[in-house]
Amino acid sequence: MMPVRITENNFKQEILQSRIPVLVEFFTDGCVTCKKFSPLLAEIEEEFKGRVRVYKINANINEKLVAEYTILSAPSLLFFSSGKEIERKTGIYAKEQIAETLNKILEESK
């Protein structure tokens, strides 16, 4: 299963009002690295199913969110908990690094 795509229209409801932590990837259509990263995010989504939500936001068509969150490059991973951005990673990361960050967030949100 691939992460659900979010737009400016449902960002608040799906991310800021989520009861569980959220991982959001900002990507662009022309980003080759982003396309290679998608299967890894699908694995993360499966591994953390029910404990973390994983979403994708197309930076090309969600300019307000890009400006609001100062997205300067893709892929950018934003980690949210209780409606607030608590961590950010830019570029490509190993699955283990992302899982480690998510586990830390889950531990802190108990």
Side-chain angles (χ1 to χ4, degrees):
M1 185 173 193
M2 295 302 283
V4 173
R5 291 191 179 196
I6 295 295
T7 66
E8 293 162 356
N9 297 331
N10 60 354
F11 182 84
K12 181 179 179 184
Q13 177 186 349
E14 296 296 333
I15 294 165
L16 300 182
Q17 296 176 348
S18 176
R19 295 179 186 261
I20 62 175
V22 179
L23 166 59
V24 178
E25 178 205 14
F26 279 84
F27 72 98
T28 61
D29 292 326
C31 174
V32 175
T33 303
C34 299
K35 289 179 175 120
K36 291 179 180 179
F37 203 44
S38 286
L40 184 139
L41 287 179
E43 290 176 24
I44 290 284
E45 181 180 38
E46 188 61 35
E47 187 175 316
F48 286 87
K49 194 173 194 168
R51 299 181 296 144
V52 173
R53 291 194 175 114
V54 179
Y55 294 119
K56 294 175 72 78
I57 297 177
N58 187 331
N60 296 116
I61 59 175
N62 292 284
E63 294 167 359
K64 287 181 187 173
L65 291 173
V66 167
E68 183 176 344
Y69 287 94
T70 317
I71 304 301
L72 301 176
S73 63
S76 287
L77 301 176
L78 278 62
F79 298 81
F80 289 84
S81 184
S82 301
K84 295 183 174 85
E85 179 189 343
I86 57 171
E87 184 136 358
R88 177 183 297 224
K89 295 182 183 297
T90 302
I92 193 122
Y93 286 83
K95 179 181 168 185
E96 294 76 21
Q97 292 171 299
I98 296 168
E100 182 179 316
T101 301
L102 290 172
N103 282 320
K104 182 179 122 196
I105 291 167
L106 286 167
E107 189 61 37
E108 292 172 357
S109 66
K110 284 184 179 178

